[in-house]
Amino acid sequence: GDKTQTLPDRQTMVHLFEWKWTDIAKECENFLQYYGYGAVQVSPPMEHIVINQNNDMPWWVRYQPVSYQLSSRSGNEAEFTDMVQRCNKVGVRIIVDAVVNHMVGIGQKKGDGGEGSSGSSDFDGRHGIESFPGVPYTKDDFNDFRCDGDIQGSDYQNSAEHVKNCRLVGLLDLNQGKDNVRKAILGYLNKLISIGVAGFRFDAGKHMWPADLMAITTGMDNLRSDIFGANQRPFAVWEVIDQGGEAVKCADYLGLGRYTNFNYGAAVAQVIKYNGDWRALMNLGPGYNYGNEEDHDVLNFIDNHDNQRGGGVVTYKDGENYNRAVTFMLAWAYGYTRVMSSFDFKISDQGPPSKGPPNFETTGPTFNPDDTCSAASGWVCEHRWPKIREMVKFRSATQGSAVAEIFTETQRVSFARDGKGFFASNMQGSTWAKFFQTTLPVGDYCDHYSGGLVNNNCAGKKFTVAADGTSYITINAGDIVAISMSSKI
Ligand code: QV4
């Protein structure tokens, strides 16, 4: 379904890319609950291939399933279960990255060239053998009879059939039209639901047939009623990259849940990274450019674990521009929002911080006194950056209130979230100072962007709103101001 299944006032999800289950459990308890993060997207929890590539284990091994045992680089089943319980207890939901389009890359076999598995299962992905006893799947469960080759670049424009039936970068393509394949996938998903997860990010949704996905969607159990209430359906977001000109369209997936709206981060990058006109962002919503569907259809984000590795979007490597991009997203009333949280990488394949060979055991983040992650630990933790974590509070406080009072001047935009919040960005080379209509109740407010309320003390700039909702606000060149009901002093 498209319903987020988060607590009503928590409307931001964070992707804790490659974090260990034990570290996520602590993060829910020690940090996420206090800033209003509603859910965590976790890396794929199933058993995956294990590879030593130049004395490192690439991050993408997590996208080559060997079986549906809950045994991965992030931890085992007991640790996963403990994480789900502890996060739910403090009101933070777990969203699982479900890789059900394919298994390992063709030609790979356990024991060959150092290839192994993160659990106990054997596998043989050689052409025509294609055996995964841990599920089990046999060669008859794959799409080789429909397409025995890789998806070609031109297929993306010309052939939905090839995009769905051929192999994505050599990954053995499962046939979700088969009953036993559907049952195996549903067994995996329903087990996760019984543990207490709230839903799924479905990897490579674009590469599966919507009719098969409908069967899988309707076959899922209800969420646990002791946690979510009666008759609640799992949240689903389908990974469909469609920025126009594609044979497979995001609109094909409406009704199955939400889809990953790659048009959003692209639009924001156009303005913030490539010096476009900020006023364009005031139209970002349903119908803006291609592929921006209704509010309840989209998951919006600035960058993800794929396109931060060279997709032309704004990423943590852009420094202050990243703060600006995520801040705008969290202030603006469109879609369910996801914040990316990365480990620092120099090359694209690089795996998360680890103890190195032979086991590549992940080493977790450590924290600075200001609650950011220590750079020495290798984790970037964008979700803990002071401006971003404050804006998550803004989003919670403004949930459900519409954009109002838009005021613009070339690279200057301001808007209110009716009765709940006010945002202004000044990307012009000179100070912007005037009376703004904030729509907020009379009182003093602390600016989230320059510090926010910390233990009830204002660490940022202070602004006074008069009885008529107006406030005289000064915004420096290149700065942002954001106040909300959650920063009322
Ligand atoms: C290699 C050759 C192939 C050959 C194959 C033969 O390159 O030409 O056919 O061997 O076995 C890795 C390697 C890739 C290797 C492949 C199979 O990079 O070189 O193929 O494994 O062994 C991630 C990485 C991929 C990685 C994959 C599996 O990005 O590089 O492939 O994991 O480990 C499209 C899709 C979209 C996709 C996006 C990246 O529409 O669905 O590309 N996004 C998701 C995930 C992404 C993940 C996958 C899908 C696959 O977000 O992280 O790919 O699960 O837009």
Side-chain angles (χ1 to χ4, degrees), residues 67-308:
S67 83
Y68 299 132
Q69 284 177 22
L70 298 181
S71 174
S72 71
R73 189 182 205 174
S74 286
N76 61 30
E77 180 168 340
E79 290 162 337
F80 182 86
T81 303
D82 183 58
M83 166 189 74
V84 173
Q85 280 167 358
R86 286 163 63 188
C87 289
N88 274 326
K89 202 165 175 190
V90 295
V92 181
R93 304 313 185 199
I94 297 296
I95 304 297
V96 165
D97 193 345
V99 186
V100 298
N101 171 64
H102 53 260
M103 300 299 277
V104 303
I106 193 164
Q108 306 185 96
K109 174 185 175 349
K110 187 165 179 172
D112 261 16
E115 283 151 20
S117 49
S118 59
S120 57
S121 304
D122 200 3
F123 66 92
D124 189 340
R126 287 178 297 172
H127 194 210
I129 301 179
E130 302 170 26
S131 164
F132 296 85
V135 179
Y137 287 137
T138 65
K139 63 177 182 348
D140 300 334
D141 298 326
F142 294 91
N143 271 326
D144 299 29
F145 71 103
R146 290 164 149 169
C147 175
D148 195 0
D150 282 7
I151 303 168
Q152 304 299 307
S154 58
D155 288 336
Y156 284 101
Q157 283 75 52
N158 303 328
S159 173
E161 233 178 278
H162 285 185
V163 170
K164 292 174 191 296
N165 293 341
C166 303
R167 295 180 199 113
L168 170 61
V169 293
L171 300 160
L172 289 169
D173 202 63
L174 286 165
N175 177 2
Q176 290 81 13
K178 280 191 77 186
D179 208 45
N180 66 305
V181 173
R182 285 183 185 176
K183 280 201 176 106
I185 292 171
L186 279 170
Y188 172 50
L189 303 178
N190 284 334
K191 174 173 180 163
L192 292 165
I193 289 170
S194 75
I195 291 173
V197 308
F200 305 95
R201 174 257 185 201
F202 283 99
D203 182 69
K206 177 182 187 170
H207 302 278
M208 298 182 277
W209 293 101
D212 294 339
L213 301 180
M214 189 50 92
I216 290 171
T217 298
T218 53
M220 284 195 274
D221 293 338
N222 282 340
L223 296 179
R224 271 177 55 168
S225 58
D226 58 331
I227 303 168
F228 298 94
N231 302 317
Q232 293 299 306
R233 298 299 294 157
F235 172 65
V237 55
W238 299 92
E239 192 218 7
V240 182
I241 307 178
D242 171 18
Q243 298 188 253
E246 297 263 356
V248 177
K249 298 184 176 21
C250 52
D252 304 343
Y253 293 76
L254 300 181
L256 285 166
R258 297 184 185 231
Y259 70 93
T260 51
N261 183 15
F262 280 81
N263 302 292
Y264 189 99
V268 172
Q270 206 50 49
V271 173
I272 294 183
K273 193 162 173 147
Y274 306 112
N275 300 314
D277 190 331
W278 266 79
R279 286 175 297 189
L281 295 177
M282 299 299 93
N283 300 315
L284 186 44
Y288 177 82
N289 281 350
Y290 176 79
N292 288 284
E293 301 282 346
E294 295 299 316
D295 195 83
H296 65 95
D297 292 324
V298 292
L299 176 77
N300 290 334
F301 47 94
I302 298 302
D303 62 326
N304 80 349
H305 69 282
D306 290 327
N307 66 14
Q308 72 172 187

